[in-house]
Amino acid sequence: DKGNHRHFMAKEIHEQPEVVGRTLGHYLDMSSGHVALPFELPVDPATLSRLTICGCGTAYFSALMAKYWFERFARLPVDVEIASEFRYRDPPLDPSGLTIVVSQSGETADTLAALRCAKGKGQKILAIVNVASSTMSREADVVAPTLAGPEIGVASTKAFTCQLAVFAALALAFGRARGVLGAKEEARLIGELMAVPGLMAQALKCESAIEGLAREIGKVRDVLYLGRGAAYPLALEGALKLKEISYIHAEGYAAGELKHGPIALIDGDMPVIVIAPKDAVLEKTISNMQEVAARGGRLILIGDENLARDFAGEAEASIIMPEFPADFAGMVYAIPIQLIAYHTAVVMGKDADQPRNLAKSVTVE
Ligand code: F6R
């Protein structure tokens, strides 16, 4: 049932404040300000020397964002691996370590093989999955569910942000266990997490601005997405989402890589979408935005009102996000990223729910 939406994808984008709130509520004790994992971890995070995370596609990008959180809040080195690369590499793994696999379906062949590969080397397995009855759920030592509900649209949206919610809670739990986060810091970060569903609801209000933007993006051949820090995985996700459902060629880049090659592509045709939450690296992202503008590029920015005001002269369009502490901005900024892909596909007359050549669950290699 699509409710009053044209596509499941639209419905699922709009469900995110609710399902992310539900998922956060499963892992956080809102009243005490502590993480309250609903299971026992299969390893003591205090004894871990590193963490491996495997996934494919959008799930891989959620893991890439999680790396920033585990490193920052738990000072834990993290290897994020594309499951299809990991499984064939005979990766050296510590037998007392932990591997996290992340998958909406819990059936993706490469991720399942990565799970078995890590398990075979003695690693404990934590599976972040959306389908509770899946093969990965059965084979993992511990299951951390995303409570996104069934995701029907082939392009993953609400499963992605729910994966981020689980990762955020895990990163805080690991930070506490490793003595990196004090109780006060934990409570402050939990306060920020609890605000995320409301901020996502606010972010959804940018939809009509994005519909206008999508009419422009629907005319182009290529789009570049830039982000720094935790916004970098979102740049990759934005590009994947657009390719997948609109068939426009798109690439995501770490903003700092701009001058190492892609800057040669900047011209008056290709939109450059910059994801710029107000975080510790915003100043650096701003200099990349200036580089794009100085070369006559089509700058489209996703940021707060202050940033939009500063770039009113240079930006072709600004998608305005609420202002908030940026520790978990990725969950909120995912909304405009998804809406841009969705509305571009719709204006181009593509079927956003059933993109060509793609299946919801990739159970063969
Ligand atoms: C992108 C997308 C795919 C999946 C990937 C992994 O929108 O849907 O990239 O994310 O195939 O699928 P799961 O999460 O089921 O393992």
Side-chain angles (χ1 to χ4, degrees):
D1 178 19
K2 296 177 203 158
N4 47 10
H5 295 282
R6 271 173 77 180
H7 296 94
F8 284 108
M9 185 176 176
K11 173 175 175 259
E12 289 161 3
I13 289 172
H14 282 265
E15 278 172 357
Q16 289 178 108
E18 186 194 330
V19 297
V20 166
R22 190 196 306 156
T23 302
L24 287 171
H26 195 65
Y27 294 91
L28 308 178
D29 181 343
M30 310 274 191
S31 53
S32 71
H34 291 298
V35 184
L37 298 183
F39 46 71
E40 196 145 335
L41 286 166
V43 293
D44 176 0
T47 65
L48 280 182
S49 55
R50 63 189 319 109
L51 170 67
T52 303
I53 316 178
C54 294
C56 297
T58 290
Y60 168 70
F61 296 144
S62 79
L64 271 186
M65 195 182 295
K67 176 185 171 89
Y68 288 84
W69 297 337
F70 280 110
E71 291 193 351
R72 169 136 175 251
F73 301 129
R75 304 303 301 152
L76 179 61
V78 179
D79 292 320
V80 182
E81 302 269 4
I82 293 172
S84 58
E85 288 297 318
F86 177 83
R87 62 180 290 195
Y88 289 119
R89 232 181 39 229
D90 188 19
L93 295 172
D94 170 1
S96 55
L98 178 68
T99 293
I100 297 180
V101 291
V102 54
S103 173
Q104 188 285 130
S105 61
E107 302 295 345
T108 300
D110 284 318
T111 310
L112 181 58
L115 180 164
R116 290 173 179 160
C117 165
K119 205 174 182 179
K121 290 172 186 285
Q123 293 257 304
K124 294 289 186 215
I125 310 293
L126 186 151
I128 301 177
V129 292
N130 196 44
V131 179
S133 58
S134 61
T135 312
M136 283 180 223
S137 299
R138 282 197 303 278
E139 297 195 13
D141 295 292
V142 171
V143 179
T146 47
L147 305 180
E151 192 181 63
I152 311 292
V154 163
S156 187
T157 53
K158 62 177 182 169
F160 173 67
T161 45
C162 286
Q163 286 160 358
L164 294 176
V166 176
F167 274 131
L170 286 174
L172 297 188
F174 280 40
R176 283 291 277 155
R178 293 168 64 80
V180 177
L181 284 184
K184 248 177 101 177
E185 188 65 354
E186 180 191 16
R188 183 185 69 77
L189 291 164
I190 286 180
E192 285 188 22
L193 275 179
M194 282 162 54
V196 163
L199 291 163
M200 292 178 112
Q202 270 178 266
L204 282 165
K205 298 196 177 123
C206 68
E207 187 154 19
S208 52
I210 287 180
E211 283 181 52
L213 174 63
R215 281 190 282 278
E216 296 307 310
I217 295 183
K219 295 176 197 157
V220 307
R221 206 184 60 177
D222 311 283
V223 177
L224 186 61
Y225 288 78
L226 298 178
R228 249 179 213 267
Y232 163 49
L234 211 47
L236 298 173
E237 169 65 1
L240 174 64
K241 214 97 295 180
L242 189 72
K243 278 185 271 219
E244 211 177 358
I245 60 172
S246 74
Y247 319 139
I248 293 173
H249 168 239
E251 288 196 63
Y253 258 96
E257 280 287 287
L258 182 66
K259 54 168 71 69
H260 300 288
I263 198 163
L265 295 171
I266 305 287
D267 61 13
D269 298 324
M270 179 184 69
V272 181
I273 300 180
V274 184
I275 305 159
K278 193 176 174 192
D279 57 17
V281 289
L282 178 61
E283 284 308 313
K284 300 287 168 188
T285 307
I286 286 176
S287 47
N288 302 122
M289 288 161 52
Q290 283 157 346
E291 286 159 10
V292 173
R295 283 160 187 81
R298 298 179 64 182
L299 185 63
I300 292 162
L301 68 90
I302 308 177
D304 68 23
E305 216 153 347
N306 295 320
L307 189 68
R309 195 177 318 113
D310 291 347
F311 276 84
E314 289 95 342
E316 176 177 321
S318 295
I319 304 301
I320 313 266
M321 291 288 101
E323 262 180 78
F324 59 96
D327 292 296
F328 304 105
M331 279 182 260
V332 179
Y333 279 62
I335 299 243
I337 282 299
Q338 297 163 349
L339 287 172
I340 289 170
Y342 173 70
H343 284 292
T344 302
V346 169
V347 295
M348 294 176 78
K350 311 292 183 207
D351 182 348
D353 282 343
Q354 293 288 343
R356 68 185 181 208
N357 308 338
L358 285 169
K360 182 65 184 159
S361 165
V362 185
T363 54
V364 293
E365 274 193 66

